[in-house]
Amino acid sequence: MTVVVEGLRNVNPALAIDETAYASGPDDSEIGPDLRIHISEDSARLMLQEVSALGTRSERLLLTLVALKAMEAQQVTNAHLVTAMLSQTLLITHTSLSSRRLEMPAIARSKRRELDEFLAVFVHISARILQQGFWNDLCTEASLDCDITDLIDGRLFVTVWFELVNGSALHILNTDLQTKLQGLIDMVKPMSRIPKQLALDKPDSKLPPAAESSLSPSDRMTVLPFSHFVFDKHLRPINITVQASRNPSGRSTKVFQEVSHWHNAKRRLDPKAAHVLSDRDKMRAMRKNQFFMAEMAGYAASLTGVTGKILEPELITVSEDAKPAKEAAERTKENSDTAKQRKSQASKGASNAKAIIAANVAAKGGGVADKTLAAWKTVRANLDAERSLQSRYRKTKAYLRDLPGDKRAIVQAEVEYYIICTLLKMYRILSKQTNGTNQAQIDGVTALVFSTIRGLIVAKGLTKTIVNQVKSITQALRLPNVEFPAVETDGKLSFEPDLRLSEIQPVPTTYHEFQLLHCGPYMDRNLDSAPDARVKTFNPDGWQRKVLDELDADRSIFVVAPTSAGKTFISFYAMEKILRRNDDSILVYVAPTKALVNQIGAEIQARFKKAYRHAGRSVWAIHTRDYRINNPSGCQILVTVPHILQIMLLSSSNAKSWSRKVRCIIFDEIHSIGQAEDGVVWEQLLLLAPCPIIALSATVGNPEQFNSWLTSTQRSSGFDVTMITHQHRYSDLRKFIYEPPRQFSFNGLPEPSFGTLGLDGLDGLAFVHPVASLVNKSRGIPQDLSLEARDCLTLWKSMCRHQTKAFPVDRTLDPDHLPQVVRKAHIIEWEKQLKMLLKSWMLQEESPFDRVIKDLGQPMNDLRPPTHYVSRPEDNSVTTEAVAMKADDLYCTTLPLLCKLQERDALPAILFNYDRSKCERICQSIMEQLKDAENSMKESSPTWKSKIRGYEQYLANKSKQNPKKMAVPKKKGKANDEDGTSKADKMQDAASEEANPYANFNPDAPVEGFHFANIAKAEAAELAAIHKELKWRGLAPWLMESLTRGIGVHHAGMNRKYRQAVEMLFRKGFLRVVIATGTLALGINMPCATVIFSGDSVFLTALNFRQAAGRAGRRGFDLLGNVVFQNISTAKVCRLLSSRLPDMTGHFPITTTLILRLFSLLYESGNTKYAVDAINSLLSQPRLYLDGPAFKDQVLHHLRFSIEYLRRHDLLSAEGVPLNFAGLTTHLYYTENSSFALNALLKEGYLHDLCSEIDEAESRVLRTLMIVMAHLFGRRPCRHSDQEYIENIVKRSPSIVFLPKLPASAAQILQQHNNQTLQIFTTYVRTFVDQHIDQPDNKLPLTGVTCGSNENSLTASLHALPHTIIRSPFVALSGHSDTFTSISDLCTSVRSH
């Protein structure tokens, strides 16, 4: 049946009867209720004996006879049809597939129905026979050939039947087949009572005349000649004989030379000639550059470090150690004599300097220690006066963090012990409260105490007193014993600790359970960390040191590590290595988005600076389609996007200079190679790379497969690749589902709690255990499904509860087998073992796996919306009415969610919604709710009214004290003392202003509790400058107002300056809520405490989910990240968590435009070695998508056809020289195939004729030109085309909404171009088939089963059509010839062999 299905796939409706009935059998209801099929094994075996007596081993013939016997028993057949079926079965066996291309005879409608019913019943019965249990054993025992894939040929059966009713069956068979048919008729005779000789009446139907040859007019064409020394060796496997003609069109051709820029009529500037600017232009350029660099400096300030300070750029000097071995050796040899001469002098100077430094240190050492201790006592006195223990804890941590390294070493142990005492006092107070609502805080504070004690082990300045007292605290709390190093020194503390250990309640759980439940985020995350001289700021992990080793060896690396794992420093280490090597080497950083390009450029500016000998050089540059910063060809670190790097690598002007200096290319977010739009460019760059590469990604579904391809491509270029993977995030992520309350009362943001991590225990939020998402067993367990410590504990407990004798839980998995002090490395190993057991349960149906999933999913399945939520229940001064919430309304339910996050100190947060308009509306809704509540508070709050009265009194008093000073503004340029006020008076006034509580009060500013901004994180002057800049750019007022309330919006449609301001203020900590699309998910440094997926979207895929969720859990800020799903179904949440990452798949990397660009590179660069190597690399390396010999031939065929196309359209000569409009076509490569359509219009003179009338009919010419260009480059599908949209929008719009038709003359040219392209393609395929293909195409594509035979037993009376040469004979069974309607038609139906 496969042949029938494939043959009818492209059936011609004009010629076919209802052949679909022949391809698939009907169900019983279509056949009729009276049909009863009786097929016994005995009758089948009897029929097998008779078939075997004929000397045939065909399962098809046996099946046909058994089916006909069953039909005869039900009397649903006749002599004509039975004989036709037997005849077509014999012809299929003894006729080649290509010879069975027949013309469908014209049949009366009544006869068509008879044929349809017969074939439907025959197919149905044959299918039932094949389903019988005995059939397979019967055929196997008899060793029958499995040829039932070619059971029925619809056209052959109908044609044979047509001939039968017009004469005799013997007229259509040769002598041998006549004998076999006679034997089959004798076998059928007792069943169907068919006489030996058939004499049937002839109907009026007549056969139509035989069709003409199936060969198209293109058969008279041959492929044009072509030869090029670079391409010939690649095209040798598909070499074909060509015609002698060298100019296909007969038109005059001209070698392409780019004398002017492709979109600028002005002649190109000579790069060697000096371009002199006027003084005014110089000043304007300098001022513009100053403004921009100031903006970049401010942007970089928000990226450089956790303390908010601007990193002082490191001055880079060329170092011998950073150079390649050969270059460094030569340099060392040249300078050896000079070094020897200076050695003695340098050693003397160095010894003197060291002695002076040692003396100064010895003299100052004691003084620094005394001053540091005295300063600590002063700070501690202020901390003791702090009423809030939480504030005391935070200020002490900040004090210790901001101390310089030498001073921190003096007081670190005592300060940390002071922190422990503060936490202990907090624990004592919380433990005495009996309301039971603060257990989460008690557990959090206890975990903080244990974490601080564990960190005290490595603190400098430990004394015996501190160690002994800490051990006493550990025993009182019943915490795990921490092993302190041996301490010999002792000293008196500068404070008297208030321990009161007898009042402390011990932890009620075991050591292990306490750590697993509450201390997971605080666990030691040291994963083979060790000091390394190459890294100054931290101790790199083992995998990070391996990365550095590979970079030092100049090898390519492929790094797969999750967000926040520490990939960033890899890029900057490689950059510094290039900068230290020399002044000429170049590193290119490729980022997928312009936003990421800007971020990396700013970070480089903040990190590195270098002095160059020659003008025009710079450390870094940015180059995108929209703008450039610094000189891209004069920098050492170029930050760009894929398209620009491709242009530069394929530029002939760079082939002799810039391209040869590229020493390393960093591909960040390498998984972008799987994108539909730009992925092919990424793949081409990886194939073109002339140097080692660094590929970075956090989301790769098939790293091993991709690494295998990457290794083969790099190895062919002479570079080795090492894949380095790291699967563990620095901070864990907890996922929650949010259910909004039914009613919400907002009276201000709640006060954040202290010591609690995560959102557990909050009403309306349910924790999602990662294992609970594994509802679809077929997906298995994703590799990146990670479990934190408490997840492992709950999983182990659940598995123990549901274990059975057949599926036990090994005792070695008991957490009591863990060390007393648990580290992250121990959890990783325990998690691995639990997953192995869980995976084995998942694969077996009778295991308790489903019960475990149900148990762990209970919290999210039992989630119910809270009845009423009041944001600040303890505040009775402000009363607000309860507002009813709609669960699916994102605009009203977002503020309650943010209040919940505020309760747990889980801000800042990023809300991801993939609809731009919804992002803006959510922001507006939150702001409106805040403003309404604030206005309500101002109207009803006595405290606020009292404050306003005090402020008004303050202004009145100030006016009375110095009315002139308030009335007369200060004049610009005048001295400060012109108003008669002395300097002392001014200082006194300033001091009194600062002491007055109303001095900085602004009644129009957002009130505390009604905004999300952290006003301590940004200065007023900075905010004023940002507001001024945004106002000048015409930004909507509500967006600027939202910034003052700590809320921002970020999507690609926003003003660039506004987006940059949002990023800067968010990183500073001023903005704490940002609503964004996917623009912040891809590599942008916007870390946050919580990520909210606000609403479902088709764009919320497994890949986008992981990229966006990776923003949560800021390394250096947060010990834990939260992920919240808002208004997303539980099924979708489980699907997102359990789905594996998509595989990195490639594209067809060779395009016709790329081939033309390669020829331009070769010709214009004079066939340089770089150009030749680039082409050899691109054409000889395997493809990510097309791998294997057969697929390589496909690429080569496409290459040769593209050359033929370019030749036929006068864009390439026989020697590979670009001609005519080749330059324009290559510049428009990203618009392929529109660029070739433009070339056709130019070549045929259409645009020339149109523009020749510009002076006489300017409006008409411009309008026509605009319509033509819109058709070529600007066609956009209209999503709304219903009548209502047309009436309300289209007809009322002053613009032309629907694109008018293309002018007839232009449409005719483009249609001719399409026809010519089809003709070129057909000619190429036919030429190759004629010269290289001599095997019949008679094998099914998937199974490889051969259909038909090598004979041709059809007689002339069947009127067979000519064989097809290009089209597959399977498709030709439906009558199709070698005439194609389109390129798609040719590609989908071309022969396979």
Side-chain angles (χ1 to χ4, degrees):
M1 292 307 299
T2 306
V3 171
V4 178
V5 173
E6 292 193 18
L8 298 177
R9 186 182 299 161
N10 295 288
V11 66
N12 187 340
L15 299 177
I17 63 171
D18 188 10
E19 292 179 300
T20 56
Y22 310 160
S24 60
D27 56 24
D28 290 337
S29 61
E30 293 174 334
I31 294 178
D34 297 332
L35 181 61
R36 296 292 183 269
I37 301 173
H38 301 285
I39 305 168
S40 65
E41 182 176 356
D42 294 338
S43 61
R45 289 188 178 277
L46 181 62
M47 187 64 68
L48 174 61
Q49 294 176 2
E50 297 184 15
V51 170
S52 300
L54 296 176
T56 180
R57 312 182 69 85
S58 172
E59 183 180 355
R60 174 177 53 237
L61 181 57
L62 176 62
L63 179 62
T64 301
L65 291 171
V66 174
L68 291 176
K69 179 179 179 181
M71 294 174 67
E72 174 64 19
Q74 296 294 326
Q75 298 182 358
V76 291
T77 184
N78 58 49
H80 308 160
L81 296 172
V82 170
T83 305
M85 180 59 68
L86 293 174
S87 299
Q88 75 97 33
T89 301
L90 288 175
L91 289 173
I92 287 176
T93 305
H94 296 279
T95 305
S96 64
L97 187 67
S98 58
S99 300
R100 285 158 46 186
R101 178 173 174 260
L102 303 171
E103 185 173 2
M104 179 67 72
I107 303 174
R109 184 178 298 273
S110 59
K111 295 298 182 180
R112 286 179 54 184
R113 180 173 180 79
E114 181 183 353
L115 291 172
D116 292 345
E117 293 177 351
F118 170 80
L119 287 175
V121 174
F122 178 83
V123 169
H124 178 76
I125 293 179
S126 299
R128 289 295 181 87
I129 294 173
L130 293 174
Q131 294 172 359
Q132 300 297 316
F134 66 83
W135 182 262
N136 186 47
D137 296 336
L138 181 68
C139 296
T140 302
E141 293 172 4
S143 300
L144 299 183
D145 296 331
C146 183
D147 53 4
I148 58 173
T149 53
D150 198 3
L151 181 63
I152 303 175
D153 184 335
R155 284 184 172 241
L156 179 59
F157 169 77
V158 173
T159 304
V160 170
W161 174 85
F162 186 86
E163 284 298 315
L164 276 174
V165 298
N166 280 275
S168 171
L170 304 181
H171 294 166
I172 60 175
L173 304 175
N174 58 31
T175 305
D176 292 338
L177 294 186
Q178 288 179 18
T179 304
K180 293 182 178 181
L181 177 62
Q182 190 65 54
L184 295 177
I185 292 176
D186 290 339
M187 292 170 57
V188 174
K189 178 180 178 180
M191 296 182 295
S192 56
R193 300 174 298 279
I194 299 176
K196 292 185 179 181
Q197 300 297 329
L198 298 175
L200 306 175
D201 297 333
K202 297 182 180 181
D204 297 333
S205 302
K206 296 182 179 180
L207 279 172
E212 298 179 357
S213 173
S214 68
L215 304 180
S216 63
S218 64
D219 298 333
R220 295 188 293 270
M221 298 173 56
T222 57
V223 178
L224 294 174
F226 170 81
S227 178
H228 193 283
F229 75 98
V230 176
F231 286 84
D232 285 349
K233 64 178 181 179
H234 297 290
L235 294 174
R236 193 172 295 119
I238 58 169
N239 185 39
I240 54 179
T241 305
V242 298
Q243 70 181 40
S245 173
R246 305 190 70 80
N247 189 354
S249 64
R251 296 186 179 89
S252 60
T253 58
K254 181 179 180 180
V255 176
F256 165 74
Q257 289 183 340
E258 190 166 353
V259 296
S260 65
H261 197 276
W262 67 280
H263 59 68
N264 193 331
K266 295 181 179 179
R267 194 172 187 83
R268 291 200 304 175
L269 296 174
D270 185 357
K272 297 182 180 180
H275 183 56
V276 181
L277 295 175
S278 64
D279 293 340
R280 179 180 177 84
D281 291 340
K282 287 181 180 178
M283 183 186 69
R284 293 180 64 184
M286 184 179 299
R287 187 169 180 81
K288 182 178 180 180
N289 184 65
Q290 288 174 343
F291 275 118
F292 186 82
M293 285 303 174
E295 181 181 306
M296 289 291 288
Y299 187 73
S302 66
L303 293 165
T304 51
V306 299
T307 61
K309 298 178 181 178
I310 300 178
L311 289 178
E312 181 65 25
E314 181 181 0
L315 178 62
I316 304 297
T317 57
V318 177
S319 170
E320 298 293 336
D321 296 336
K323 295 181 179 181
K326 184 177 179 181
E327 184 180 346
E330 294 176 354
R331 182 78 175 179
T332 303
K333 184 177 180 181
E334 293 175 1
N335 298 334
S336 59
D337 295 336
T338 306
K340 290 179 181 179
Q341 295 174 2
R342 298 177 180 174
K343 184 175 181 180
S344 59
Q345 300 176 359
S347 61
K348 294 179 181 179
S351 61
N352 294 333
K354 290 180 179 178
I356 295 173
I357 293 173
N360 291 336
V361 170
K364 296 180 179 179
V368 171
D370 293 339
K371 291 179 180 179
T372 303
L373 289 172
W376 159 238
K377 290 180 181 179
T378 303
V379 171
R380 184 184 51 75
N382 294 330
L383 292 172
D384 288 340
E386 190 75 38
R387 293 184 177 181
S388 171
L389 294 177
Q390 300 176 9
S391 178
R392 183 188 301 180
Y393 169 82
R394 293 190 179 99
K395 289 182 178 180
T396 309
K397 292 281 288 186
Y399 166 76
L400 184 61
R401 181 193 63 205
D402 296 339
L403 276 178
D406 56 341
K407 295 182 179 180
R408 185 186 299 114
I410 297 172
V411 298
Q412 181 180 4
E414 184 171 326
V415 174
E416 291 198 2
Y417 180 58
Y418 181 81
I419 292 174
I420 293 174
C421 294
T422 303
L423 291 172
L424 194 64
K425 185 175 182 180
M426 201 181 305
Y427 175 84
R428 193 166 55 241
I429 295 173
L430 290 172
S431 299
K432 291 181 179 179
Q433 298 175 1
T434 58
N435 54 11
T437 60
N438 58 347
Q439 187 59 45
Q441 272 191 288
I442 294 175
D443 295 335
V445 171
T446 311
L448 272 175
V449 172
F450 179 67
S451 175
T452 311
I453 291 174
R454 200 185 65 247
L456 195 62
I457 298 174
V458 296
K460 296 180 180 179
L462 269 178
T463 64
K464 291 182 178 179
T465 301
I466 294 177
V467 171
N468 292 333
Q469 293 190 12
V470 168
K471 288 183 177 179
S472 300
I473 294 173
T474 303
Q475 293 175 1
L477 286 173
R478 206 181 297 164
L479 296 176
N481 294 322
V482 178
E483 295 294 333
F484 284 91
V487 179
E488 301 297 335
T489 61
D490 198 3
K492 185 179 180 181
L493 296 172
S494 64
F495 67 95
E496 190 66 33
D498 181 19
L499 299 181
R500 286 187 276 178
L501 298 181
S502 60
E503 301 178 11
I504 293 178
Q505 300 179 10
V507 174
T509 57
T510 64
Y511 291 160
H512 292 105
E513 188 165 353
F514 165 73
Q515 293 179 80
L516 295 175
L517 284 177
H518 309 298
C519 298
Y522 300 102
M523 286 179 179
D524 182 10
R525 281 168 165 71
N526 183 357
L527 298 176
D528 193 23
S529 300
D532 193 297
R534 296 168 293 185
V535 183
K536 303 174 184 177
T537 55
F538 65 97
N539 293 336
D541 293 338
W543 71 274
Q544 293 172 320
R545 296 196 301 276
K546 185 177 180 181
V547 169
L548 300 185
D549 294 339
E550 298 300 316
L551 292 179
D552 289 341
D554 286 330
R555 285 192 282 265
S556 297
I557 57 173
F558 172 40
V559 181
V560 181
T563 305
S564 81
K567 299 190 299 295
T568 304
F569 91 102
I570 299 173
S571 302
F572 293 111
Y573 180 83
M575 293 174 189
E576 183 176 352
K577 185 177 176 65
I578 290 293
L579 292 173
R580 293 192 184 279
R581 177 176 294 183
N582 52 45
D583 290 345
D584 297 323
S585 297
I586 296 171
L587 179 144
V588 183
Y589 188 101
V590 183
T593 63
K594 289 181 289 186
L596 189 53
V597 166
N598 292 333
Q599 176 181 300
I600 296 300
E603 289 198 67
I604 297 172
Q605 183 191 21
R607 288 176 180 268
F608 305 122
K609 63 181 178 180
K610 187 176 181 181
Y612 292 93
R613 300 177 182 178
H614 306 289
R617 302 302 308 277
S618 62
V619 171
W620 64 278
I622 286 178
H623 189 188
T624 66
R625 287 188 181 275
D626 300 332
Y627 57 89
R628 301 181 187 182
I629 304 174
N630 297 330
N631 181 11
S633 59
C635 68
Q636 282 197 265
I637 302 174
L638 175 63
V639 188
T640 186
V641 292
H643 282 279
I644 296 300
L645 178 59
Q646 185 195 46
I647 291 173
M648 298 185 73
L649 290 178
L650 295 179
S651 173
S652 58
S653 59
N654 291 334
K656 298 180 181 179
S657 56
W658 184 86
S659 298
R660 299 173 61 184
K661 298 177 183 178
V662 178
R663 295 291 179 266
C664 181
I665 302 178
I666 300 176
F667 294 95
D668 199 2
E669 310 293 345
I670 189 63
H671 55 264
S672 299
I673 196 173
Q675 294 179 352
E677 296 180 356
D678 298 332
V680 64
V681 180
W682 286 82
E683 186 169 351
Q684 291 169 357
L685 289 177
L686 289 170
L687 296 173
L688 286 169
C691 58
I693 65 170
I694 301 173
L696 306 174
S697 180
T699 49
V700 179
N702 55 337
E704 292 80 10
Q705 179 184 353
F706 182 76
N707 178 68
S708 176
W709 172 79
L710 196 62
T711 300
S712 60
T713 59
Q714 284 284 289
R715 190 170 294 164
S716 63
S717 300
F719 308 110
D720 294 328
V721 177
T722 301
M723 182 177 74
I724 301 172
T725 60
H726 180 69
Q727 299 180 352
H728 312 293
R729 279 180 54 95
Y730 182 81
S731 56
D732 295 312
L733 294 179
R734 287 183 187 172
K735 290 85 175 178
F736 299 88
I737 295 178
Y738 174 65
E739 189 70 29
R742 292 189 174 92
Q743 290 185 326
F744 174 54
S745 298
F746 178 70
N747 56 350
L749 296 178
E751 290 294 328
S753 59
F754 177 81
T756 54
L757 296 178
L759 307 175
D760 302 275
L762 292 175
D763 290 339
L765 284 158
F767 170 68
V768 181
H769 196 289
V771 174
S773 66
L774 303 177
V775 292
N776 189 344
K777 296 182 183 180
S778 62
R779 295 180 177 178
I781 302 177
Q783 292 183 353
D784 61 339
L785 187 79
S786 60
L787 307 177
E788 60 172 313
R790 70 170 200 170
D791 296 339
C792 293
L793 179 62
T794 53
L795 174 61
W796 174 79
K797 287 183 176 180
S798 179
M799 296 178 75
C800 289
R801 282 195 298 269
H802 299 289
Q803 65 179 328
T804 62
K805 292 183 179 180
F807 297 93
V809 177
D810 197 295
R811 292 183 179 180
T812 58
L813 295 178
D814 194 306
D816 290 338
H817 288 82
L818 295 172
Q820 189 176 36
V821 178
V822 185
R823 297 172 55 243
K824 180 67 173 178
H826 303 141
I827 298 300
I828 292 174
E829 182 61 29
W830 190 32
E831 173 192 0
K832 180 180 178 181
Q833 296 175 5
L834 287 172
K835 282 184 177 179
M836 290 177 60
L837 178 60
L838 184 68
K839 188 174 182 179
S840 66
W841 286 13
M842 178 184 286
L843 299 176
Q844 303 184 54
E845 289 294 331
E846 61 275 13
S847 73
F849 176 82
D850 292 331
R851 295 194 294 275
V852 171
I853 298 299
K854 184 179 180 181
D855 186 14
L856 296 176
Q858 202 68 32
M860 63 178 179
N861 295 327
D862 293 343
L863 178 61
R864 298 294 181 268
T867 305
H868 188 199
Y869 173 45
V870 182
S871 61
R872 298 179 66 174
E874 73 283 355
D875 187 359
N876 298 322
S877 61
V878 181
T879 58
T880 56
E881 295 183 0
V883 178
M885 297 280 105
K886 295 181 179 179
D888 58 348
D889 188 349
L890 296 175
Y891 310 119
C892 69
T893 59
T894 300
L895 182 58
L897 174 56
L898 295 176
C899 290
K900 288 291 185 181
L901 300 183
Q902 173 74 3
E903 283 187 30
R904 288 295 175 87
D905 199 17
L907 294 177
I910 300 178
L911 289 78
F912 285 101
N913 188 293
Y914 293 89
D915 188 314
R916 294 182 182 181
S917 61
K918 286 185 178 180
C919 288
E920 297 180 11
R921 290 178 61 188
I922 290 173
C923 178
Q924 290 175 318
S925 176
I926 297 173
M927 194 173 61
E928 289 172 1
Q929 293 178 74
L930 292 174
K931 289 171 61 178
D932 292 344
E934 182 184 76
N935 293 334
S936 177
M937 182 275 298
K938 289 180 179 180
E939 293 175 358
S940 60
S941 173
T943 304
W944 174 259
K945 293 178 181 179
S946 176
K947 193 171 187 178
I948 291 296
R949 286 194 298 269
Y951 178 67
E952 292 173 349
Q953 184 64 40
Y954 160 76
L955 293 179
N957 294 338
K958 188 175 180 181
S959 177
K960 292 178 181 179
Q961 291 174 3
N962 199 345
K964 292 184 178 180
K965 190 169 13 179
M966 295 189 64
V968 180
K970 186 181 347 186
K971 295 182 180 179
K972 186 177 181 180
K974 296 293 182 180
N976 291 337
D977 56 356
E978 279 191 0
D979 55 0
T981 306
S982 66
K983 185 175 182 180
D985 292 338
K986 289 181 178 180
M987 293 177 64
Q988 184 177 358
D989 292 343
S992 63
E993 284 288 326
E994 291 178 0
N996 196 305
Y998 296 105
N1000 298 320
F1001 178 69
N1002 181 4
D1004 297 326
V1007 180
E1008 190 66 29
F1010 298 89
H1011 66 84
F1012 291 97
N1014 189 343
I1015 57 177
K1017 296 295 185 178
E1019 298 180 359
E1022 181 183 5
L1023 296 175
I1026 291 175
H1027 278 243
K1028 182 179 178 181
E1029 178 73 16
L1030 296 178
K1031 186 176 180 180
W1032 181 80
R1033 293 174 181 265
L1035 196 71
W1038 70 268
L1039 284 172
M1040 291 189 288
E1041 184 180 358
S1042 67
L1043 291 181
T1044 64
R1045 294 188 180 270
I1047 310 170
V1049 180
H1050 196 288
H1051 61 70
M1054 284 294 181
N1055 178 275
R1056 184 185 70 86
K1057 179 63 179 177
Y1058 172 78
R1059 292 202 311 268
Q1060 195 175 73
V1062 169
E1063 295 172 20
M1064 292 170 56
L1065 293 175
F1066 189 82
R1067 281 191 289 264
K1068 284 178 175 290
F1070 178 81
L1071 292 184
R1072 296 200 301 154
V1073 176
V1074 169
I1075 305 104
T1077 56
T1079 54
L1080 292 182
L1082 199 63
I1084 297 298
N1085 185 10
M1086 290 280 284
C1088 61
T1090 303
V1091 162
I1092 301 173
F1093 290 97
S1094 184
D1096 200 355
S1097 170
V1098 294
F1099 300 105
L1100 183 53
T1101 61
L1103 177 61
N1104 289 337
F1105 162 70
R1106 284 167 172 82
Q1107 289 175 343
R1111 304 302 105 194
R1114 305 167 296 174
R1115 186 168 187 172
F1117 290 88
D1118 304 303
L1119 298 169
L1120 183 72
N1122 302 300
V1123 177
V1124 180
F1125 298 95
Q1126 178 190 11
N1127 196 22
I1128 299 177
S1129 66
T1130 303
K1132 178 67 176 285
V1133 171
C1134 293
R1135 193 159 60 248
L1136 290 173
L1137 295 180
S1138 62
S1139 297
R1140 63 184 299 271
L1141 284 167
D1143 292 343
M1144 290 176 65
T1145 57
H1147 308 263
F1148 198 95
I1150 306 298
T1151 64
T1152 305
T1153 308
L1154 177 63
I1155 294 169
L1156 184 57
R1157 295 168 74 188
L1158 294 177
F1159 280 110
S1160 298
L1161 172 64
L1162 276 173
Y1163 176 75
E1164 295 175 17
S1165 67
N1167 297 325
T1168 60
K1169 183 179 183 301
Y1170 166 78
V1172 174
D1173 291 344
I1175 293 172
N1176 289 335
S1177 175
L1178 189 65
L1179 297 180
S1180 62
Q1181 297 178 19
R1183 274 75 188 166
L1184 176 58
Y1185 173 65
L1186 303 171
D1187 198 5
F1191 295 117
K1192 184 176 181 180
D1193 288 345
Q1194 290 185 15
V1195 175
L1196 294 179
H1197 281 303
H1198 181 72
L1199 170 63
R1200 187 61 183 89
F1201 161 73
S1202 297
I1203 293 173
E1204 177 70 9
Y1205 173 86
L1206 296 173
R1207 289 227 52 214
R1208 292 281 182 185
H1209 288 279
D1210 299 328
L1211 292 171
L1212 194 69
S1213 72
E1215 295 77 22
V1217 178
L1219 303 174
N1220 300 327
F1221 298 109
L1224 174 63
T1225 305
T1226 55
H1227 281 302
L1228 293 173
Y1229 72 94
Y1230 52 89
T1231 65
E1232 188 178 351
N1233 297 310
S1234 296
S1235 57
F1236 291 116
L1238 178 62
N1239 175 71
L1241 296 178
L1242 289 169
K1243 183 180 67 171
E1244 298 299 329
Y1246 171 80
L1247 296 179
H1248 175 80
D1249 296 339
L1250 175 63
C1251 295
S1252 63
E1253 303 176 5
I1254 188 67
D1255 295 331
E1256 292 80 12
E1258 179 179 358
S1259 178
R1260 179 182 61 80
V1261 170
L1262 292 178
R1263 177 184 173 86
T1264 304
L1265 185 62
M1266 182 61 68
I1267 291 175
V1268 172
M1269 292 301 157
H1271 272 279
L1272 294 183
F1273 303 105
R1275 293 173 65 92
R1276 298 291 184 273
C1278 184
R1279 298 180 179 179
H1280 303 282
S1281 57
D1282 54 275
Q1283 190 62 35
E1284 181 181 358
Y1285 177 80
I1286 294 174
E1287 293 293 335
N1288 297 334
I1289 304 298
V1290 175
K1291 292 186 178 181
R1292 298 182 182 181
S1293 174
S1295 304
I1296 300 177
V1297 179
F1298 293 139
L1299 187 62
K1301 291 184 179 181
L1302 191 67
S1305 53
Q1308 183 179 3
I1309 292 173
L1310 295 181
Q1311 185 59 48
Q1312 291 174 355
H1313 171 267
N1314 291 342
N1315 294 337
Q1316 186 180 8
T1317 303
L1318 176 60
Q1319 189 177 7
I1320 295 169
F1321 208 156
T1322 306
T1323 298
Y1324 172 78
V1325 176
R1326 180 175 180 270
T1327 302
F1328 185 83
V1329 171
D1330 287 343
Q1331 298 180 10
H1332 292 273
I1333 305 299
D1334 55 4
Q1335 297 295 325
D1337 184 18
N1338 58 357
K1339 292 185 178 180
L1340 294 176
L1342 299 179
T1343 61
V1345 174
T1346 301
C1347 298
S1349 67
N1350 296 326
E1351 307 175 25
N1352 186 6
S1353 301
L1354 295 183
T1355 60
S1357 60
L1358 288 180
H1359 299 278
L1361 298 174
H1363 301 179
T1364 57
I1365 297 176
I1366 303 173
R1367 200 186 294 269
S1368 167
F1370 291 101
V1371 181
L1373 290 176
S1374 294
H1376 292 291
S1377 67
D1378 279 339
T1379 301
F1380 300 92
T1381 58
S1382 65
I1383 295 288
S1384 176
D1385 181 25
L1386 189 153
C1387 292
T1388 55
S1389 62
V1390 70
R1391 60 182 297 157
S1392 302
H1393 302 284

